[in-house]
Amino acid sequence: MRRVLLADRLATATLWALALFVVAILVSIIAYFVVSSIPTFSLAFLFSDPVDSGIGGILPLLWNSAYMLVLTMLLTIPIAVLGGIYMAEYAGENRFTNAIRFSQELISSVPSIVVGLFGMTLFVAGLGWGFTALGGALTLLVFNLPLLLRLSEQAIRAVPADERAASLALGSTQWQTIRHAVLPIAIPGIVTGIVLTAGRVFGEAAALLFTAGVATPAHYDFTFVSLDPRSPWSPFHQATTLSVFIWNTNSEANNPQHTEVAAMSSMVLLFLVLAFNLSSRWLGGALQRRVSGL
Amino acid sequence: MTAPTRTLRVAKPGFRARLDPARRITQAAAALVIAIVALILAFIAWRGIQLFIDAGVAVPEILSPTWQPDPDSGPTTFGLLPFIVGTLEIFVGAALIAAPLSVGLGLFMAEVAPNWARRITQPAMEVFVGIPSVVWGFLGAVLLVPVLRTNFHFTYGYSMLAGQLVVALMILPTITSLSYDAFLTVPRDMRAASMALGTTRWQAIRHVVVPAAASGVMTAIVMGMMRAAGEALAVQMVIGNRASIAFNPMSPIQTLTSAITMDMGNTTPSQPWNMALWTMGLVLLLMSLSFVLLVRRLSARRPAE
Amino acid sequence: MDTQQGDVPVTSATAPAPRAVPSSIPLPALQPMLAGMDPDASVKLRAKDLSIRYGTRVAVRDVTLDVSEHSVMAFIGPSGCGKSTVLRCFDRMNDLIPGAVVQGTVELDGESMYGPGVLPVEVRRKVGLVFQRPNPFPMSIYENVAYGPRRFGQKDRGKLDETVERSLRHAALWDEVKDELRKKSGLALSGGQQQRLCIARALATDPEVILMDEPCSALDPIATLKIEELIAQLKADYTIVIVTHNMQQAARVSDRTAFFTLGEDRAGYLVELDDTLKIFTNPTNQLTEDYVSGRFG
């Protein structure tokens, strides 16, 4: 009896200690970035160009991260939501849907560096684009599409069957039902999925090394709006993102202050990703309230 | 006797239903996923076997422990074994470190944590999973490696252990949240049933909850391993990248992913060296395929509700 | 209260099923004869001024009742009246709900269940609980029954085999499962068999009291009948408290019945406790009368 009770106490204490330990790791990581950035960080870091020696800034890299994000999501969202609708509303249990599920599982397990190789062969070399934002975005599409497709499917499936039955009973066609009865209710879930997927675009680096490029841009002229690869607005410009920059800064180490630059960039990246995760919760909840309030 | 003809016509989808453009368009979007995967498989397989076809390397050669890809420094040997062993060491080691922590944390969140504690650990896991791999790599290189070098007298600091620790932290939230889900699928009544018999909570966890969730927890660990095996940059930043087989956790090693990361930019497609990198990509792809099949088998074995 | 022996055989024209307990409500004329259980029969369970709170919300207030040894008491009442909550107090299962506070005294054999130094684990070993939905563990039938004894340190194979067989026989399940004890999962049984397995699992730990929380609500009528017959048999060795929403069931299986309802303050309370026969034929309280005659609830 006593031994059993002791084991219970011991196990409980161990589990508490574990939880405390893991949370402590997380807190100390964030604290490390904040504390180590205090001496060198200023808002100017976000709004100036990178330099070869010294602190400089990360404006072009932030721009590229945002650009890649928008471009990737523009390509991903329509296809993923349409595919999600098919999987949730039309698809039966057959070889076709099985193949889709297997593809989803496989793609989520393929290393992103391997997907990067694929993008390199197809877009950089095959189509002769060189390192471009579009090539990078299409590569990111490869793993974002199956993910968002699954999340949209789940969001659509979560819509109660009653909603469909009610609409169909009124004589609507299946598409009308989906469009006007199912989708509006599924939107909060889909949006949460979109924001979560988007957060991954910011963090991804391995797949972009060989597709969007690693060269650190010196300066962007944002008044130069053109399809010309030299324009930061062009989908064919070489688009080194913040994550790739962190990797590059740390591995090349030409800059005597590379540690400070990488640390501050990491902090910015970390906070961006956190903002995405938190806003996905908040946005999903807010939309949910609006939909149900209507 | 009068009904059959009518019901038959209702049961069969009409001509119009089969032509339904909305159905066709959404189906095409879903089919794109299959097309992409097929394309990737085809590309990687095709480029991956060029080492054997175009460069004339014998297939068994890739199992050699010697990696000498540069023709300028003597006869070449494309042994991938150091990379395969390195990849195994990283994902097995990382899983060994992360699994007890994560499964324990999953148990804590599912069984022990009071609400206020769960309100901390749950968002903490979401933040954890969102930390990008380059940030992990940076932390490993800047914090972990110097500590291993100065405090634990590693020759370089850049080492197998550094890679295992960094990747362990990366996969920790993956295993935690998946095993947490697995524990939650065990009906609450089961714990209550055990405790109503007069067992302690830990006995209920150990003898009812854990066995019932075992296959889910195994799946969680395999998923974590899968992520660890495919991680490139964080690993490449801390393992030292030396292409030789080593079993000492203090020595630098090299993995398939980090070799691709390091050398792809320095080689051209016509070089056998470059082709060998693609072969590594193919090996990684085959690994993912086995992981997926393993996960499928594990989840198929899960007992029905 | 009357001191007559309670176990009077019911063989009246209006009571067609002569079982250990009346299966239908007999004529009021018979009622005085059946009325009293022996008040000297020892009290097994006793609650005094028992109140249960969840946070600030009072779920049940001021319940005082005694359960005699080797008797069956039924708790009836509308849903939400706290009858299950009171039941779970006798097994200290409310301790598992965060924020639940138990006030007043609960005694088993005259000893406080909630006193300082009393371990919930020890209380629960003496009291078995059968849940609303059958909840066998996802393991073999044998392991389900052997679960309790194993946890209490019984390692001897022979003794375990013996306990398993005795418990399954006692729960009237042995004949149906004896051929595939170790092969078949408890989850592969039918609903009624699962519930009897859960009873066997509880019996294997050698309890003195068995609490049943609507044990038949998820079962079909035939399975229900089997459980009811089982309850009648178990009464000889155990003290049983059963929560039920089925008044016929309460009338069929119990010796005494406690009627709970919800007060104006949304807290449950005990309205009336008496011999089952009296509750169903001639209750004292108007609320009880309304409830058992189907006018409310």
Side-chain angles (χ1 to χ4, degrees):
Chain A
M1 190 68 194
R2 186 155 290 163
R3 257 187 43 208
V4 171
L5 289 172
L6 191 68
D8 184 58
R9 294 238 175 85
L10 218 64
T12 308
T14 310
L15 293 181
W16 272 97
L18 261 175
L20 214 63
F21 176 62
V22 173
V23 172
I25 290 178
L26 187 68
V27 171
S28 46
I29 285 172
I30 293 172
Y32 166 76
F33 281 120
V34 172
V35 170
S36 70
S37 300
I38 286 174
T40 45
F41 188 80
S42 72
L43 273 184
F45 182 69
L46 300 177
F47 298 109
S48 43
D49 290 328
V51 291
D52 290 336
S53 178
I55 297 294
I58 51 170
L59 179 64
L61 307 148
L62 276 176
W63 166 262
N64 284 334
S65 285
Y67 189 98
M68 291 295 291
L69 176 80
V70 173
L71 191 58
T72 307
M73 296 320 286
L74 278 180
L75 297 168
T76 312
I77 293 170
I79 309 177
V81 173
L82 285 174
I85 291 173
Y86 177 78
M87 292 300 281
E89 296 288 323
Y90 293 106
E93 276 303 312
N94 54 36
R95 288 171 81 177
F96 177 67
T97 47
N98 272 340
I100 289 178
R101 297 211 191 284
F102 188 73
S103 304
Q104 285 175 330
E105 287 165 33
L106 187 59
I107 229 33
S108 68
S109 75
V110 171
S112 57
I113 189 92
V114 173
V115 177
L117 288 186
F118 163 77
M120 177 171 108
T121 318
L122 191 60
F123 309 117
V124 179
L127 298 174
W129 292 352
F131 297 128
T132 60
L134 185 60
L138 286 168
T139 306
L140 292 182
L141 174 80
V142 167
F143 24 64
N144 278 359
L145 176 61
L147 176 70
L148 186 56
L149 196 147
R150 204 185 65 225
L151 295 173
S152 326
E153 181 192 341
Q154 285 168 357
I156 295 167
R157 272 188 199 279
V159 176
D162 287 2
E163 304 285 345
R164 293 183 184 85
S167 170
L168 287 169
L170 291 172
S172 312
T173 65
Q174 190 168 7
W175 176 250
Q176 285 170 328
T177 302
I178 294 168
R179 171 77 187 72
H180 298 288
V182 177
L183 272 188
I185 300 176
I187 281 207
I190 296 177
V191 168
T192 308
I194 290 173
V195 182
L196 277 179
T197 320
R200 283 166 43 119
V201 175
F202 267 145
E204 182 54 49
L208 296 177
L209 294 183
F210 309 129
T211 52
V214 292
T216 306
H219 174 72
Y220 277 158
D221 177 6
F222 292 105
T223 58
F224 179 41
V225 182
S226 154
L227 282 181
D228 186 297
R230 283 166 298 173
S231 162
W233 297 91
S234 165
F236 295 101
H237 83 285
Q238 181 167 348
T240 306
T241 63
L242 189 58
S243 318
V244 174
F245 173 72
I246 293 167
W247 175 75
N248 210 23
T249 306
N250 196 66
S251 43
E252 310 251 299
N254 296 326
N255 187 337
Q257 286 190 281
H258 72 272
T259 308
E260 287 86 343
V261 174
M264 288 194 295
S265 307
S266 297
M267 182 182 73
V268 173
L269 182 62
L270 196 58
F271 279 96
L272 281 173
V273 173
L274 291 195
F276 261 85
N277 279 359
L278 294 181
S279 65
S280 87
R281 269 181 160 214
W282 172 83
L283 202 63
L287 281 169
Q288 191 75 61
R289 277 191 294 280
R290 239 189 98 190
V291 167
S292 43
L294 278 177
Chain B
M1 279 317 257
T2 51
T5 45
R6 285 192 61 145
T7 41
L8 264 180
R9 274 178 64 186
V10 175
K12 222 174 183 178
F15 183 63
R16 188 180 272 179
R18 271 178 283 147
L19 261 187
D20 183 357
R23 185 193 171 91
R24 287 284 164 250
I25 291 169
T26 56
Q27 187 173 24
L32 201 61
V33 175
I34 305 181
I36 289 172
V37 171
L39 212 58
I40 290 180
L41 290 176
F43 260 103
I44 305 286
W46 167 56
R47 298 292 305 260
I49 57 171
Q50 278 183 339
L51 180 69
F52 313 120
I53 297 170
D54 293 7
V57 170
V59 178
E61 185 177 318
I62 63 167
L63 291 177
S64 150
T66 316
W67 172 249
Q68 207 301 94
D70 189 357
D72 297 344
S73 24
T76 57
T77 314
F78 295 98
L80 303 190
L81 203 59
F83 308 98
I84 296 172
V85 171
T87 299
L88 278 170
E89 283 168 341
I90 290 294
F91 80 70
V92 173
L96 284 178
I97 299 167
L101 282 173
S102 328
V103 175
L105 190 57
L107 262 184
F108 174 81
M109 287 163 66
E111 304 292 333
V112 176
N115 280 332
W116 65 264
R118 206 171 301 130
R119 271 199 289 275
I120 296 171
T121 48
Q122 207 137 20
M125 279 305 109
E126 280 170 34
V127 171
F128 224 114
V129 82
I131 298 179
S133 65
V134 282
V135 173
W136 283 119
F138 170 76
L139 285 168
V142 174
L143 295 180
L144 182 62
V145 166
V147 167
L148 290 178
R149 190 165 45 222
T150 50
N151 300 11
F152 293 90
H153 310 294
F154 282 38
T155 323
Y156 306 99
Y158 295 98
S159 56
M160 180 202 299
L161 185 67
Q164 289 166 333
L165 286 172
V166 165
V167 176
L169 284 174
M170 282 187 69
I171 63 175
L172 188 132
T174 310
I175 305 181
T176 302
S177 57
L178 289 173
S179 52
Y180 172 62
D181 291 345
F183 292 130
L184 283 194
T185 58
V186 180
R188 283 233 84 83
D189 257 15
M190 297 241 178
R191 294 142 231 213
S194 173
M195 294 186 66
L197 291 172
T199 72
T200 62
R201 176 169 64 187
W202 177 243
Q203 284 181 310
I205 292 174
R206 194 166 128 39
H207 297 284
V208 177
V209 178
V210 170
S215 77
V217 172
M218 275 312 294
T219 307
I221 295 173
V222 173
M223 297 285 255
M225 282 184 170
M226 192 156 87
R227 213 184 143 196
E231 177 48 39
L233 302 190
V235 173
Q236 181 264 339
M237 287 161 93
V238 298
I239 55 170
N241 301 298
R242 182 198 281 168
S244 58
I245 295 177
F247 298 106
N248 183 343
M250 296 167 82
S251 48
I253 56 163
Q254 175 77 298
T255 66
L256 293 164
T257 51
S258 74
I260 297 174
T261 311
M262 302 273 292
D263 296 342
M264 192 51 92
N266 308 325
T267 54
T268 56
S270 58
Q271 284 177 283
W273 186 347
N274 183 278
M275 295 172 191
L277 298 178
W278 283 96
T279 309
M280 293 184 196
L282 182 58
V283 173
L284 280 168
L285 197 65
L286 293 176
M287 279 176 143
S288 322
L289 204 61
S290 353
F291 275 125
V292 171
L293 294 176
L294 185 60
V295 167
R296 288 207 146 198
R297 166 162 282 187
L298 279 173
S299 21
R301 212 191 294 156
R302 201 168 303 183
E305 290 292 302
Chain C
M1 220 183 281
D2 201 307
T3 52
Q4 230 166 335
Q5 281 298 319
D7 219 2
V8 175
V10 186
T11 43
S12 136
T14 49
R19 279 190 281 141
V21 285
S23 67
S24 68
I25 300 159
L27 288 170
L30 285 171
Q31 185 258 319
M33 280 165 60
L34 297 164
M37 293 293 297
D38 183 0
D40 295 324
S42 60
V43 172
K44 190 73 186 172
L45 278 172
R46 166 171 285 167
K48 224 173 125 211
D49 302 323
L50 175 66
S51 295
I52 301 131
R53 280 188 291 124
Y54 296 120
T56 53
R57 197 180 75 83
V58 178
V60 184
R61 61 175 152 81
D62 303 329
V63 174
T64 298
L65 58 81
D66 288 351
V67 184
S68 324
E69 195 158 19
H70 301 307
S71 75
V72 179
M73 178 175 288
F75 287 180
I76 61 167
S79 45
C81 68
K83 51 194 192 295
S84 292
T85 308
V86 172
L87 185 83
R88 280 161 187 254
C89 274
F90 294 137
D91 201 13
R92 291 203 62 165
M93 288 302 276
N94 287 322
D95 294 25
L96 304 183
I97 301 165
V101 179
V102 176
Q103 285 164 325
T105 52
V106 182
E107 288 170 1
L108 175 67
D109 289 330
E111 280 176 49
S112 172
M113 272 190 186
Y114 286 81
V118 176
L119 295 169
V121 173
E122 288 191 325
V123 170
R124 293 185 196 127
R125 285 187 190 187
K126 289 189 201 152
V127 181
L129 175 63
V130 178
F131 293 69
Q132 188 169 357
R133 309 189 119 267
N135 55 358
F137 298 131
M139 40 183 99
S140 71
I141 294 167
Y142 183 93
E143 286 304 322
N144 261 286
V145 183
Y147 181 87
R150 276 194 203 281
R151 297 293 84 78
F152 309 150
Q154 180 59 268
K155 293 199 182 77
D156 187 307
R157 284 289 298 241
K159 285 205 177 117
L160 278 175
D161 288 352
E162 196 188 300
T163 307
V164 169
E165 178 170 347
R166 180 169 39 82
S167 309
L168 283 169
R169 279 191 192 282
H170 221 143
L173 189 61
W174 175 254
D175 293 331
E176 292 162 59
V177 299
K178 63 172 185 266
D179 298 326
E180 32 192 12
L181 276 184
R182 288 164 203 277
K183 266 181 289 167
K184 199 165 185 174
S185 163
L187 291 169
L189 296 171
S190 73
Q193 289 175 322
Q194 287 192 10
Q195 196 62 298
R196 277 179 282 143
L197 177 61
C198 291
I199 292 172
R201 182 176 66 187
L203 296 181
T205 64
D206 236 352
E208 295 161 23
V209 176
I210 300 175
L211 308 174
M212 299 186 174
D213 189 357
E214 303 197 23
C216 304
S217 65
L219 304 183
D220 62 66
I222 293 170
T224 299
L225 193 69
K226 282 203 164 166
I227 302 275
E228 287 179 8
E229 282 170 357
L230 183 58
I231 290 171
Q233 289 162 21
L234 291 174
K235 195 171 83 163
D237 301 304
Y238 306 94
T239 305
I240 298 173
V241 183
I242 176 172
V243 168
T244 177
H245 58 243
N246 178 336
M247 281 182 279
Q248 282 76 29
Q249 182 168 69
R252 284 192 298 261
V253 303
S254 71
D255 303 309
R256 285 169 68 81
T257 296
F259 171 63
F260 293 80
T261 195
L262 220 54
E264 306 258 309
D265 54 352
R266 313 284 307 146
Y269 67 101
L270 175 63
V271 179
E272 189 171 354
L273 166 66
D274 213 325
D275 292 341
T276 297
L277 212 51
K278 181 154 190 308
I279 289 280
F280 282 100
T281 52
N282 185 21
T284 313
N285 193 298
Q286 186 61 37
L287 286 169
T288 316
E289 167 101 51
D290 289 350
Y291 185 76
V292 297
S293 59
R295 255 173 283 171
F296 136 78

